[in-house]
Amino acid sequence: MTKVYVPRDMAALAVGAKRVLAAIEKEAAARGEAIQIVRNGSRGLLWLEPLVEVETPEGRIGYGNVKPSDVPSLFDAGFLRGGAHPLSIGKVEEHPYWAKQTRVTFERVGVIDPVNLDDYVAHGGGQGLAKAFEIGPAKVIEEVTKSGLRGRGGAGFPAGIKWKTVADAPADRRYVVTNADEGDSGTFADRMVMEGDPFVLIEGMTICGYAIGASKGFIYLRAEYPQCAEVLTEALEAARKAGWLGPNVRGSGFAFDIELRIGAGAYVCGEETSLLESLEGKRGIVRAKPPLPAHVGFMSRPTVVNNVLTLATAPAILAKGGEYYASLGVGRSRGTMPLQIAGNVKFGGLYETPFGLTLGEIVNDIGGGSLSGRPVRAVQCGGPLGAYVPPSLFDTPFDYEAFQKHDSLIGHGGLVVFDDTVDMAQMARFGMEFCAIESCGKCTPCRIGSTRGVETIDRIVEGVDVEANIELLSDLCHTMKFGSLCALGGFAPYPVESALRHYPEDFRKATLPAAAE
Amino acid sequence: MSGAVPWNEARAQEIIDAHLGLEGPALPILHAIQEEFGYVPEAAVPQIAQSLNISRAEMHGVVSFYHDFRRAPAGRHVLKLCRAESCQSMGSEKIAKDFLERVKLEWGGTANDGSLTVEAVYCLGLCAHSPGALYDNEPIGRVDAEMLDELAAEARNS
């Protein structure tokens, strides 16, 4: 029976994968063709979605941007045997966008049936956990430390050190919490892992739990990902049924289980202490640090809070060795980063690669420039709290430290491309407005500062005391940056300041014509 | 959204009790209440508070903190339009503004005939297909004016 892959990834569904699936099933039935449908995740070649793949003796042949109306002609062209068709992209694994990547965390995403544990194992799943049980908790932490893996949520804190801190903290119980509150605009890597290879997250959390001596884990998933919740629920059930979770994980004697929790639309709950409050059933108000969650976390117990990508990378690190992972990347940014190329861009998608590509290579060579065909004017890196970077800085290599040098951040690896129609004063205003909407309200600089920021930018745009108000805005940014409790208020000034620095003309539109006279 | 049942205190208590064994059960309870009744009725707040042994004020604080918990029922269909940066880079603000004018609604508003509620959302993870939207939890990419008008018409007729 021919295997036909139709993704169940949310992005593929958003462009009609479900209707395409129905059309394929109907057409196959009408023609008496026996097919086996596999609902895989997305390969990450998102501009080609829905990307239908057919398994042939030569490999998997892809057909991109399939519409339901294309389905009869696909059958006519013999697509079940990989037949030629205008939508064919040939062997998916030879497509340059796929072939040039170094897939570690995303090794199986888009390739396997996400909720089939046998498929997971057949593609190398489970080896990391087996290795962990073989070498023991202390060596697991050593291996993760050796790999140089840093927290992929944005802060970039070394994962091994966090795990060791929790393991060493005396406690009656400890917790592993996955931060799956992926709220940054331009990011979807967490979602794609969870929808395309949920077992890798389950395995990573189990490895972490084993290393730190925790028997309970939580996945805190944002409510905006309903399809993702379905996949995770199916995967958790399958893992429990197969003994990968429960009182005796894979016969090791180690007990571990995972509970899925859904957020409720608060961006600030992506901040780890706010997330913990929310998980405990409270308002998602940020906690002052110290104490760190590694010492006093969920239910006041030592807790590892790691991003999805961080934990989903642990199995590969264990299976392939910390040294292998550390051999990739540049400087202090080791390993790979799943880049998310988004916004006004031609080839939007997910591209996992070692750190060190320049921003220009990512946006122009991989992303193909703007979708509108107009010149690229800005790229926002690292979500709504990240800086806008102009093309003049496109030679900046993608790594934590190089970005920091330009007062930018790589955050969670999201890149949003804007063409030259963007009004940067409006984007700066939105940065402040977003902070005002999402501020938890605990600290004054964030709560009040963001609202004052919106008002000040409005005055600048109207042409009221422009230079004085720009100075006031800069001063306000400074206060927020250094006076806020967490990254929301502390980083909200980055988009604003970068807009002021690189696009000063956008803030002076009201006064420029007068000055020219 | 469809499927919601009228408020029923005994049913609410069953839902609450089913979650009391969880560590930090408040959010799962609120989600389940909203799933059942379509919103979090005012009467549920003291009831949950009492079951969790916290004050009514504390519980009110929790409900009101989160954008997703409704204090009143929504329309029969809910359309969430993304307003985050990636979608803005593809013109989402104008598409949304024009649509809201056509259907005579503000953000968060519900049509007079109760067919549709339109809400703002900040990122749906569909950023390679901006602008993105969720219609009754079904994702939609590359949103344009025509698609939105079709959805509004569909909402009116169902």
Side-chain angles (χ1 to χ4, degrees), chain B residues 85-143:
Chain B
E85 289 89 341
S86 176
C87 289
Q88 290 189 36
S89 78
M90 291 300 290
S92 62
E93 284 299 279
K94 181 166 163 47
I95 293 171
K97 187 171 160 268
D98 292 350
F99 173 67
L100 288 170
E101 267 170 30
R102 286 198 300 279
V103 294
K104 298 185 184 61
L105 284 177
E106 308 234 310
W107 286 113
T110 300
N112 284 337
D113 62 359
S115 60
L116 185 69
T117 299
V118 183
E119 293 176 338
V121 65
Y122 296 92
C123 197
L124 294 165
L126 301 173
C127 322
H129 295 107
S130 288
L134 271 188
Y135 178 72
D136 291 346
N137 272 347
E138 288 298 321
I140 308 170
R142 299 277 186 240
V143 166

Side-chain angles (χ1 to χ4, degrees), chain A residues 255-267:
Chain A
F256 190 72
D257 210 335
I258 297 171
E259 201 180 313
L260 174 65
R261 288 287 176 89
I262 310 293
Y267 175 77

